Amino acid sequence: MLSKICSAAVCGLDAQLIEVEVDASYGLRRFEVVGLPDKSVQEAKERVGAAIESAGFKSPHREPVKVLVSLAPADLKKEGTLYDLPIALGYLLANKKTRFDPAGKIFLGELALDGRLRPARGAVCFAIACREKGIKEIILPEENAAEAALIGGVRAIGVKTLAQAIGYLEGSISVAPAIARTEAAGNSGSGGLFDMIAGQESAKRALEIVGGGGHNLSMWGPPGTGKTLLAKTLPEIIPPLSFEESLEVTKIYSVCGLLAGGSLIAQRPFRAPHHTASEAALIGGGNPPRPGEITLAHRGVLFLDEFPEFHRDALEALRQPIEEGAINVLRARHAMSLPARFMLILASNPCPCGNFGNPEKPCVCSPSQIRMYRKKLSGPLMDRIDLFINVPAVKYEKLVQNTPHESLGEKMRERVAQCRAVQAARYGKERTNAEMGIAQIKEFCRLDDDSEQLLKAAVNSAKISARGYHRVLKVSRTIADLDGKKDIAQNHVSEALSYRPPELI
């Protein structure tokens, strides 16, 4: 007898429905899986056999039965262990060991040998696919049910074992649909960590601009001056994710198996990969391709500490995602586009030993070492950074200064939130000044005569490229928004130019 059960596969960040057809007929004992299965799918027959026996049924390996499992579409590579549950149920249905109607449901989950269901990745993506295809119910491991329940209009039934799944489908037991957890945590709101940073007023101002407009920032300075701590405080002063952004980020983390607690992610991501990370780990890759750090940092912050220590090819691979907000990963058999709209924060020392230009400590690096160290940030990549700041050593008086009574971090959060609100009203969607296109720059970044003359002198000096010119305008627009001004003034452009590196001014 032939049975058909619906399952799903993850393709990038989306799910595609998979039809699991099982034919069970008496004959020579055989269990075969077709439809481009990988090794883990082929091994499902052993897990399924043991799980079926643990559920109280006779294993197909102990009966004179020929079992053929077809996973359609047959031209799509099937990977992972998600198909264990639908294969087991399909076999029992085809062999008339159980009776239920599989229509309007999808099934997924890995089976342990004792019949337990192990958690899977991508439950949010599967639930979204169900809603788009009009499927009302998804049956999956209990640990993933809360994730799937985040998507309205889909009943997420979490089961612990194969036997429980069969009992629910036959109607002998009842399982309540999972309820989505809505207590997603947002930003702390206290600004406490930000207020603990001693001094560095110019760096804090730069962070306010970065947070207000979603810009990229490069910091350099001697070791121990607070560059890493400054970067970590950036998500603290940015408003929490909107619902649409939160669902987008939650979907990414669900696919990667990093979603904890089964609730929406409201805190903006902060990713800080190690400098030994490869190009594939940073931008995504593999076969099939998997999201990298830039996708995990989507709508948040990607912090590259000691970025000159990163591989040159990994740094250069950031150029296209910074510009387009997405990364196109192409492989021989796979092609996908992954979102990568992040704020890039770079931190480095002035030289390998960190003491170049320090009047207190002599630099022990040779000129060639300093030159090679600084060449890691190429001209094209540098042109995509909006603000450059120096983070100097902090004097003792600043270190022992008492924390002010009023929270500077809280005030900054309020100004950044107002700045983001102005941009949302201006563009009519979740968009920042850093994402403006050429047409929007011409519409919203008009300059008065004094500002235009100031910027004209900088461009005619051949030290600012066309891309750099547009980035100065974007930063000027953000500074004006933070200042509560509708028009860009000369002081806004002047401050934006001050954040260009000295060699580019």
Side-chain angles (χ1 to χ4, degrees):
M1 182 179 174
L2 178 67
S3 67
K4 295 182 180 179
I5 284 184
C6 192
S7 187
V10 174
C11 302
L13 296 181
D14 299 314
Q16 180 171 337
L17 297 186
I18 302 295
E19 190 175 73
V20 180
E21 299 177 298
V22 182
D23 179 60
S25 57
Y26 285 98
L28 293 176
R29 188 177 299 156
R30 187 179 177 188
F31 200 126
E32 188 173 354
V33 182
V34 298
L36 280 184
D38 71 351
K39 187 65 174 176
S40 61
V41 180
Q42 292 174 1
E43 291 174 348
K45 56 188 178 182
E46 307 299 337
R47 295 189 298 272
V48 166
I52 287 176
E53 197 159 18
S54 298
F57 301 91
K58 200 168 183 179
S59 169
H61 303 306
R62 298 182 183 274
E63 289 191 285
V65 62
K66 177 184 176 182
V67 181
L68 177 62
V69 179
S70 175
L71 306 177
D75 60 345
L76 177 68
K77 183 77 172 178
K78 316 302 187 305
E79 298 180 312
T81 56
L82 293 176
Y83 310 106
D84 289 6
L85 179 61
I87 289 175
L89 293 173
Y91 166 75
L92 294 173
L93 199 59
N95 207 25
K96 300 181 180 179
K97 301 289 181 68
T98 183
R99 292 183 180 278
F100 63 89
D101 184 10
K105 304 177 179 69
I106 73 166
F107 305 82
L108 53 96
E110 176 187 344
L111 286 171
L113 298 185
D114 60 358
R116 290 179 297 107
L117 278 168
R118 292 194 171 103
R121 296 182 178 185
V124 172
C125 301
F126 297 133
I128 292 174
C130 286
R131 185 175 65 180
E132 293 174 349
K133 300 295 183 181
I135 297 174
K136 300 299 182 182
E137 192 168 280
I138 177 172
I139 298 173
L140 72 171
E142 188 179 47
E143 291 88 340
N144 302 118
E147 290 182 35
L150 293 171
I151 308 304
V154 179
R155 283 166 49 91
I157 305 298
V159 292
K160 295 180 179 179
T161 64
L162 174 61
Q164 185 183 12
I166 295 171
Y168 168 76
L169 293 168
E170 292 179 339
S172 59
I173 63 174
S174 62
V175 180
I179 300 175
R181 299 171 185 170
T182 57
E183 66 277 8
N187 286 9
S188 63
S190 64
L193 182 61
F194 194 91
D195 289 327
M196 292 176 65
I197 301 176
Q200 307 298 6
E201 284 77 11
S202 61
K204 291 177 181 178
R205 170 60 176 172
L207 282 180
E208 182 180 3
I209 297 170
V210 169
H215 302 287
N216 302 320
L217 171 69
S218 176
M219 299 183 286
W220 77 92
T225 56
K227 299 185 293 294
T228 301
L229 187 58
L230 283 164
K232 287 182 178 179
T233 60
L234 183 55
E236 184 180 279
I237 64 172
I238 305 175
L241 296 167
S242 66
F243 177 77
E244 291 76 14
E245 292 175 329
S246 180
L247 191 59
E248 201 174 4
V249 174
T250 302
K251 183 178 176 182
I252 295 170
Y253 277 70
S254 177
V255 168
C256 296
L258 300 175
L259 188 60
S263 58
L264 285 173
I265 296 176
Q267 180 75 38
R268 292 189 180 270
F270 180 87
R271 304 294 299 183
H274 193 260
H275 63 80
T276 57
S278 65
E279 179 182 352
L282 201 59
I283 68 169
N287 194 12
R290 295 284 189 266
E293 289 292 333
I294 63 174
T295 300
L296 291 172
H298 182 59
R299 297 297 178 186
V301 177
L302 177 66
F303 176 52
L304 301 185
D305 196 10
E306 303 295 344
F307 75 87
E309 303 295 338
F310 280 78
H311 299 294
R312 176 68 180 266
D313 55 351
L315 290 175
E316 294 303 315
L318 295 174
R319 287 154 55 176
Q320 184 249 351
I322 291 174
E323 202 72 23
E324 299 183 7
I327 176 67
N328 299 311
V329 181
L330 304 177
R331 296 296 181 265
R333 297 180 61 89
H334 301 275
M336 64 181 63
S337 179
L338 301 172
R341 182 70 65 184
F342 55 89
M343 287 173 284
L344 177 63
I345 308 298
L346 304 177
S348 68
N349 298 325
C351 67
C353 77
N355 295 321
F356 181 78
N358 189 340
E360 306 296 333
K361 294 183 180 180
C363 176
V364 297
C365 304
S366 66
S368 61
Q369 286 177 313
I370 297 174
R371 185 168 57 253
M372 292 300 296
Y373 184 80
R374 295 183 175 182
K375 281 181 66 177
K376 284 294 186 73
L377 187 60
S378 66
L381 183 57
M382 183 180 292
D383 221 21
R384 288 168 169 83
I385 305 299
D386 301 308
L387 294 88
F388 295 79
I389 59 170
N390 179 31
V391 184
V394 182
K395 298 296 183 182
Y396 176 79
E397 290 75 16
K398 288 285 186 181
L399 287 174
V400 298
Q401 185 178 4
N402 292 328
T403 304
H405 180 69
E406 292 184 303
S407 172
L408 177 61
E410 181 62 28
K411 286 189 170 184
M412 191 173 292
R413 285 188 74 249
E414 293 175 359
R415 290 196 296 268
V416 170
Q418 292 172 359
C419 181
R420 292 265 180 152
V422 168
Q423 293 166 64
R426 178 185 298 138
Y427 307 121
K429 59 176 71 175
E430 297 294 340
R431 198 179 181 94
T432 60
N433 289 330
E435 300 173 54
M436 283 192 293
I438 301 298
Q440 291 170 319
I441 291 175
K442 291 184 177 180
E443 181 179 358
F444 300 117
C445 298
R446 296 173 181 171
L447 304 177
D448 56 26
D449 292 339
D450 293 336
S451 302
E452 194 168 344
Q453 290 299 320
L454 180 62
L455 198 51
K456 178 181 178 181
V459 173
N460 286 342
S461 66
K463 293 181 179 179
I464 295 184
S465 66
R467 183 187 291 113
Y469 164 74
H470 289 138
R471 291 194 174 273
V472 170
L473 287 177
K474 293 177 183 180
V475 174
S476 301
R477 178 68 271 171
T478 299
I479 296 172
D481 290 341
L482 287 169
D483 201 20
K485 304 297 183 182
K486 182 179 179 180
D487 299 319
I488 299 175
Q490 184 181 13
N491 62 308
H492 303 142
V493 176
S494 177
E495 184 177 359
L497 285 172
S498 70
Y499 291 115
R500 302 301 293 173
E503 61 270 19
L504 297 183
I505 296 177

